[in-house]
Amino acid sequence: MTDPVREAALPVAEAEPRRRSARAIAAASAGTFIEWYEYGLYAFVAGLVIAPLFFAQAGSLAVLATFVTFAVGFVVRPIGGIVLGAAGDRWGRRPVLIFSILLMGLATTGIGLLPTYAAIGVWAPILLVVLRMLQGFGAGAELAAAMIFVSESTGKKGKGFSGALMNIGSMLGSVLAVVFFTVLSSELAPEAFKQWGWRIPFLFGAVLTVAGLVLRRKLAESPEFERVAREQRAGRLRRGRANPLAALAQSFRASPRNFFAGFLLPSGLNVTGFVAQAFGMSYLSSQIGLTSTQTLVTTLTMMGVGLFALLFWGWLCDRIGAVRVLYVGALVGIPLAFAYFALLRTGNLALIITASVVLWAVGWAAGLSAQVVLLPALFRTEYRGSGMTSSRELQGGLIAGPAPLIASALLLAAGGTPWLVALYIAAAQVLTVAGMLLARPVLSRREITEISALRGVRPAAD
């Protein structure tokens, strides 16, 4: 006999027309585009602009201080994830998606208007930290909420590719940030770029935010959440907790095992991504001696190829299962971390670009494509927002966010050699494998069989 509550919580939307699914992907992509455009801006200019303009008083530790502010955004992300994740379970995915994009847009525009240390002294880094905290709070729910929304609004057969399309938004946002800075840094005189040119991409974030709000304003709620809301109104399911801490506790008690799995799964891709993106740019310019333009071109090429890698891995998730894709990315990503730094140390631009592209396309892109499928399946719809967002963002605050800072500290500790950083990436990929071994999706064997991207996962009943 079919359990109506169970049916209401199925993480699929079989009857959803393709048009509605396409709108869901487009609206979710718009937010992830803006999130990673805005976060990417800071990562790309951290060592090039932010350090000398806002932390000049720190001397040789300016870059390290800059990565501290980068990490601050991730420290606040779990708070945003806990608060907004609970709000998504109680009031719906749509309000959270609108609020998060608005908050991130305001913070990014604020950074573009912020006076430097030379103008207002110590208030410059203080205000920078405050704006980074606001960015982090909004971003704490953005990507996870978008992943949930797409998962709940698309069909059984194409979840991997649909997730990849959503992730293309985040990649395009980062690519746009690199292109903006590559063009500006090459076309403007160095002094003009340092004085005012770097602000233009941050201010452009306001335009992107308005466009994203227009897209999301007309967005319908996810079909799966609507079904659960009907069950809640009928008294067959308990409504989500308004207290964020109570909601967090509820999602943890429902499955501590899956909560820890949700924490561990993104470790490898996040550390790999932020080391290659944020720390890598600083390392290439300060240790290897590449020019700013060469460094930006390397990053742009790496991320451009990553667009196609995401689509490939998303397609492969639907063919062989996201579990196998995750294992490939994590296990192959371990030796690639050491090969990456070995090739960077040659100083040969072609080898540097090749190493960056391969590490990004495998060690990062495979994991990102797989987690979009796997993470939502760890939590039931009625507490998915709180459980997935808080576990994922706690990981971001404790592991992903400090990655460039930890990598910089490891580089200093090793006297300028990068092998401890490579070991750090490898350890993060091991955490991802441990998370997958721990995970037990809250689905039946029948549901797992019907969702092609979930082939090979072990259900909670095992």
Side-chain angles (χ1 to χ4, degrees), residues 341-355:
F341 283 108
L343 292 177
L344 260 55
R345 283 166 61 85
T346 66
N348 183 293
L349 184 60
L351 293 178
I352 288 171
I353 291 175
T354 300

Side-chain angles (χ1 to χ4, degrees), residues 171-220:
M171 280 298 301
L172 286 175
S174 296
V175 168
L176 177 60
V178 179
V179 170
F180 231 142
F181 273 94
T182 301
V183 172
L184 286 171
S185 64
S186 60
E187 294 298 322
L188 292 177
E191 192 60 30
F193 178 76
K194 185 176 179 180
Q195 286 183 351
W196 56 268
W198 68 271
R199 297 182 182 276
I200 296 174
F202 283 93
L203 297 176
F204 185 67
V207 178
L208 296 177
T209 300
V210 171
L213 286 172
V214 170
L215 270 175
R216 287 188 172 178
R217 184 176 61 85
K218 299 181 179 180
L219 190 64

Side-chain angles (χ1 to χ4, degrees), residues 277-337:
Q277 186 182 56
F279 169 81
M281 289 192 69
S282 176
Y283 179 79
L284 289 174
S285 60
S286 63
Q287 299 292 323
I288 305 301
L290 265 61
T291 65
S292 296
T293 300
Q294 288 174 323
T295 301
L296 289 168
V297 168
T298 298
T299 306
L300 178 61
T301 306
M302 175 183 80
M303 300 180 76
V305 174
L307 294 172
F308 299 98
L310 282 173
L311 292 175
F312 168 74
W313 293 118
W315 171 82
L316 200 61
C317 282
D318 291 326
R319 298 301 181 278
I320 67 172
V323 174
R324 294 182 178 91
V325 169
L326 188 78
Y327 282 142
V328 169
L331 296 176
V332 177
I334 291 173
L336 281 180

Side-chain angles (χ1 to χ4, degrees), residues 288-449:
I288 305 301
L290 265 61
T291 65
S292 296
T293 300
Q294 288 174 323
T295 301
L296 289 168
V297 168
T298 298
T299 306
L300 178 61
T301 306
M302 175 183 80
M303 300 180 76
V305 174
L307 294 172
F308 299 98
L310 282 173
L311 292 175
F312 168 74
W313 293 118
W315 171 82
L316 200 61
C317 282
D318 291 326
R319 298 301 181 278
I320 67 172
V323 174
R324 294 182 178 91
V325 169
L326 188 78
Y327 282 142
V328 169
L331 296 176
V332 177
I334 291 173
L336 281 180
F338 294 91
Y340 168 72
F341 283 108
L343 292 177
L344 260 55
R345 283 166 61 85
T346 66
N348 183 293
L349 184 60
L351 293 178
I352 288 171
I353 291 175
T354 300
S356 302
V357 164
V358 174
L359 180 70
W360 187 266
V362 179
W364 176 82
L368 183 61
S369 295
Q371 75 159 350
V372 178
V373 175
L374 296 171
L375 288 179
L378 298 178
F379 306 94
R380 293 190 186 278
T381 308
E382 57 266 32
Y383 59 83
R384 182 174 293 142
S386 179
M388 177 178 156
T389 304
S390 57
S391 63
R392 187 181 180 280
E393 293 307 330
L394 283 169
Q395 187 276 343
L398 295 174
I399 297 179
L405 175 62
I406 293 172
S408 298
L410 290 173
L411 189 69
L412 288 174
T417 58
W419 307 120
L420 286 179
V421 183
L423 189 62
Y424 174 47
I425 295 175
Q429 296 287 17
V430 171
L431 291 180
T432 288
V433 173
M436 192 63 254
L437 293 173
L438 189 64
R440 293 293 186 276
V442 289
L443 305 173
S444 68
R445 288 189 176 278
R446 177 182 63 82
E447 292 160 1
I448 290 173
T449 301

Side-chain angles (χ1 to χ4, degrees), residues 85-99:
D89 286 336
R90 186 170 179 86
W91 292 291
R93 318 305 191 201
R94 180 178 176 273
V96 169
L97 289 171
I98 292 173
F99 178 78

